[in-house]
């Protein structure tokens, strides 16, 4: 079989534990036999990060910045237990956090829809994609416990000019205070990433906030969004997509009643909460993909799940596992489709789409891993082991493209 040549390089970021095990199976059975790719490989497995004092994470992020497209396996974010378990020099920072701040990107989570894995919400037919702003608000807040009567004030001291003092509350007794902030540049970049994503995926863009109550803070977000959308309104028209601003509570109600098929841009806290609601509504974490998009159009694709430790422990004991590889496969096909789109190589896009189709049809034929079995309708008997599922997909691809 002649391989399809991918014109420009792709950055591959390797990871940890069970995610790394399936990563290698996917590459060997579903990617390497079909594509000829100039891979720029970065091993972000915990050992390598420790050896390089985490420089490899920065190098990988810089490579994506240069090359434009990357694909990443799930990695361990070490906590104290992990430092002991892997005998690490330090509790290295989250690789995703490092890469996200270097690319200044936004993460979009998108579920994979399969006919016989119906979502919990009956009318959801198309993916609901969540874009979460990842800077500020309560995640960078200053808090204070008020122990007794006194006046709380908001004070801003400009570099030049008069101090601004606004009274927050005159406390008669105990209470609590929080100060939050955000940055115009960060909000604007978030809006731009969301606009890029909506245009490139041809989906409506929704943004929800509570500007009726928070006229300045939430209003600031609303105005930046409408300002940026306004600048490219002709592109929205060309693509046949719409922008909708909603109050956040209305957005929640409308999303539940909808068929899906929109990008829902969320402020930091809303995105944290809503992405978990949408993910569980669509079924397994094994069906949730994620892509980091920078405001200047660099992409990093991954699965939303972690390193699946429990399965890895079973695997190390030599026991059979049934780990869902679908989101990781779609990370690869997502990266290849984007590469093909940027390079203008239709055959790359077409083949990557064939692989996605083969995955979906395999599940629709009733071949699936254990996590999907309780969700399947009609019900299925039995489940495929980790490697059996990938093999079933590989043979289906060979059948379609061979015949
Ligand atoms: P996790 O790896 O996502 O796994 C949590 C549980 O969800 C698993 O034990 C499994 O449930 C189920 N699950 C997740 N993915 C699955 C799949 N593909 N197939 C079947 N079942 C799946 O989350 P975690 O245990 O909280 O985190 C483990 C490690 O991953 C941590 O070190 C964390 O730092 C890291 N992490 C990395 C990323 C990333 O790199 N993007 C994201 C999140 C977490 P059952 O055990 O019930 O089968
Ligand atoms: Mg959360």
């Amino acid at each position: 079989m002649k391989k399809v040549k991918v014109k420009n390089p792709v950055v591959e970021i390797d990871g940890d534990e069970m995610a790394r095990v399936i990563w290698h199976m996917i590459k060997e059975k579903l990617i390497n036999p079909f594509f000829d790719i100039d891979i720029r490989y970065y091993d972000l497995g915990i050992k390598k990060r420790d050896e390089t004092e985490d420089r490899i994470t920065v190098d990988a992020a810089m490579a994506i910045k240069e090359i434009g497209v990357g694909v990443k396996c799930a990695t361990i974010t070490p906590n104290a237990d992990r430092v002991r378990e892997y005998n690490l020099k330090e509790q290295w920072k989250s690789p995703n956090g490092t890469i996200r701040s270097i690319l200044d990107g936004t993460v979009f989570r998108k579920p994979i829809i399969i006919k016989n894995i119906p979502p919990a919400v009956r009318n959801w037919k198309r993916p609901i994609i969540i874009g979460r702003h990842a800077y500020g608000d309560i995640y960078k807040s200053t808090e204070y416990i008020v122990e007794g009567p006194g006046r709380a004030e908001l004070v801003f001291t400009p570099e030049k000019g008069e101090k601004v003092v606004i009274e927050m509350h005159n406390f008669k007794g105990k209470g609590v205070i929080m100060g939050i902030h955000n940055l115009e540049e960060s909000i604007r970049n978030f809006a731009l990433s969301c606009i890029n994503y909506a245009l490139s995926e041809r989906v409506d863009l929704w943004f929800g906030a509570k500007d009726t109550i928070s006229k300045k803070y939430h209003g600031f977000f609303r105005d930046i969004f409408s300002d940026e959308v306004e600048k490219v309104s002709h592109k929205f028209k060309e693509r046949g997509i719409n922008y909708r601003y909603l109050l956040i509570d209305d957005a929640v109600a409308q999303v539940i009643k909808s068929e899906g098929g929109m990008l829902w841009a969320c402020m930091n806290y809303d995105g944290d909460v809503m992405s978990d609601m949408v993910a569980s509504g669509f079924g397994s974490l094994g069906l949730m993909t994620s892509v980091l998009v920078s405001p200047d159009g660099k992409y990093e694709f991954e699965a939303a799940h972690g390193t699946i430790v429990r399965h890895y422990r079973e695997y190390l004991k030599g026991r059979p596992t049934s780990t869902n590889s679908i989101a990781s496969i779609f990370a690869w096909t997502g990266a290849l489709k984007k590469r093909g789109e940027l390079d203008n190589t239709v055959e790359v896009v077409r083949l990557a789409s064939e692989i996605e189709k083969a995955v979906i049809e395999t599940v629709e034929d009733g071949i699936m891993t254990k996590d999907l079995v309780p969700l399947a309708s009609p019900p299925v008997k039995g489940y495929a082991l980790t490697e059996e599922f990938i093999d079933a997909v590989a043979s289906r691809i060979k059948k379609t493209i061979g015949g």
Side-chain angles (χ1 to χ4, degrees):
M1 205 176 311
K2 197 167 173 293
K3 292 189 191 186
V4 169
K5 169 97 187 127
V6 180
K7 195 164 149 197
N8 281 302
V10 172
V11 178
E12 177 192 351
I13 298 178
D14 211 339
D16 289 300
E17 300 186 320
M18 198 62 197
R20 187 180 179 106
V21 173
I22 59 177
W23 195 256
H24 288 264
M25 288 179 190
I26 293 167
K27 258 190 89 177
E28 182 204 323
K29 294 171 189 244
L30 303 181
I31 304 298
N32 287 341
F34 306 106
F35 290 99
D36 176 11
I37 320 171
D38 175 8
I39 290 280
R40 304 293 162 86
Y41 179 83
Y42 292 85
D43 184 359
L44 260 56
I46 190 72
K47 287 202 194 93
K48 202 76 189 177
R49 278 183 275 151
D50 200 47
E51 260 171 54
T52 62
E53 323 242 290
D54 210 25
R55 269 192 321 274
I56 188 124
T57 306
V58 175
D59 292 347
M62 295 310 285
I64 296 176
K65 225 178 150 102
E66 185 203 327
I67 286 167
V69 180
V71 55
K72 180 180 172 290
C73 174
T75 46
I76 291 170
T77 297
N79 54 20
D81 290 342
R82 297 298 210 159
V83 170
R84 253 172 278 124
E85 182 185 355
Y86 284 92
N87 191 23
L88 304 177
K89 291 183 214 158
E90 230 177 88
Q91 194 171 314
W92 305 111
K93 281 192 281 189
S94 150
N96 285 32
T98 302
I99 297 169
R100 190 168 61 218
S101 70
I102 291 176
L103 292 177
D104 193 15
T106 299
V107 175
F108 297 97
R109 299 227 291 183
K110 178 182 175 185
I112 297 155
I113 309 280
I114 306 176
K115 269 196 220 114
N116 55 338
I117 311 294
V121 179
R122 249 178 298 141
N123 43 285
W124 286 357
K125 303 255 167 350
R126 290 181 293 151
I128 294 163
I129 304 141
I130 299 236
R132 174 181 170 190
H133 184 220
Y135 179 85
D137 304 350
I138 66 163
Y139 303 87
K140 265 203 184 335
S141 65
T142 313
E143 302 183 315
Y144 182 73
I145 305 258
V146 174
E147 293 296 357
R151 205 164 65 233
E153 294 169 334
L154 200 62
V155 180
F156 178 68
T157 315
E159 268 184 25
K160 285 180 208 141
E162 292 276 301
K163 198 180 267 220
V164 182
V165 180
I166 300 167
E167 181 174 308
M168 281 173 77
H169 191 70
N170 203 344
F171 284 88
K172 302 284 180 263
K174 290 186 179 185
V176 65
I177 310 171
M178 172 162 68
I180 60 171
H181 76 278
N182 223 298
L183 307 174
E184 177 176 347
E185 192 188 12
S186 170
I187 302 167
R188 211 168 280 282
N189 281 344
F190 173 57
L192 285 174
S193 297
C194 290
I195 290 169
N196 281 343
Y197 187 95
L199 289 170
S200 104
E201 298 280 311
R202 273 181 195 249
V203 288
D204 285 351
L205 172 60
W206 291 18
F207 176 59
K210 195 73 180 178
D211 66 309
T212 44
I213 300 299
S214 166
K215 294 188 167 63
K216 295 203 169 115
Y217 199 106
H218 285 222
F220 197 77
F221 277 77
R222 178 206 56 210
D223 290 348
I224 290 176
F225 259 82
S226 56
D227 185 36
E228 291 301 332
V229 169
E230 190 56 40
K231 287 184 199 160
V232 292
S233 58
H234 60 287
K235 290 194 188 162
F236 273 66
K237 237 184 233 129
E238 256 168 49
R239 299 248 143 181
I241 61 171
N242 295 301
Y243 170 68
R244 256 182 108 176
Y245 173 78
L246 305 96
L247 284 172
I248 186 66
D249 37 355
D250 188 27
V252 172
Q254 298 294 332
V255 161
I256 295 289
K257 286 193 286 187
S258 77
E259 275 201 357
M262 78 291 281
L263 164 59
W264 184 9
C266 290
M267 287 175 69
N268 212 346
Y269 176 79
D270 298 338
D272 189 348
V273 176
M274 291 307 157
S275 58
D276 284 4
M277 182 199 72
V278 169
S280 42
F282 275 106
S284 166
L285 257 179
L287 293 181
M288 187 59 79
T289 62
S290 153
V291 56
L292 174 70
V293 183
S294 73
D296 58 343
K298 317 286 183 199
Y299 294 78
E300 183 209 50
F301 293 81
E302 67 169 333
H305 61 71
T307 62
I308 333 158
V309 195
R310 195 186 64 78
H311 296 211
Y312 187 56
R313 302 217 199 290
E314 295 294 298
Y315 170 85
L316 288 180
K317 287 180 198 145
R319 296 197 187 133
T321 57
S322 180
T323 307
N324 190 339
S325 52
I326 294 179
S328 299
I329 300 171
F330 273 64
W332 273 101
T333 52
L336 288 165
K337 286 200 300 191
K338 182 51 75 181
R339 184 74 276 174
E341 204 183 297
L342 296 172
D343 296 347
N344 250 318
T345 46
V346 273
E347 61 291 0
V348 172
V349 178
R350 196 178 308 133
L351 182 54
S353 308
E354 283 295 338
I355 295 176
E356 292 182 351
K357 204 164 136 244
V359 169
I360 288 171
E361 287 173 358
T362 301
V363 178
E364 286 174 355
D365 268 1
I367 302 171
M368 62 187 77
T369 46
K370 206 173 180 175
D371 55 313
L372 297 183
V373 170
L375 307 171
S377 167
V380 289
K381 284 197 212 85
Y383 58 85
L385 298 179
T386 307
E387 196 155 12
E388 283 172 356
F389 179 78
I390 295 172
D391 285 334
V393 174
S395 67
R396 187 177 278 267
I397 302 167
K398 280 177 194 140
K399 242 182 263 157
T400 8
I401 64 174

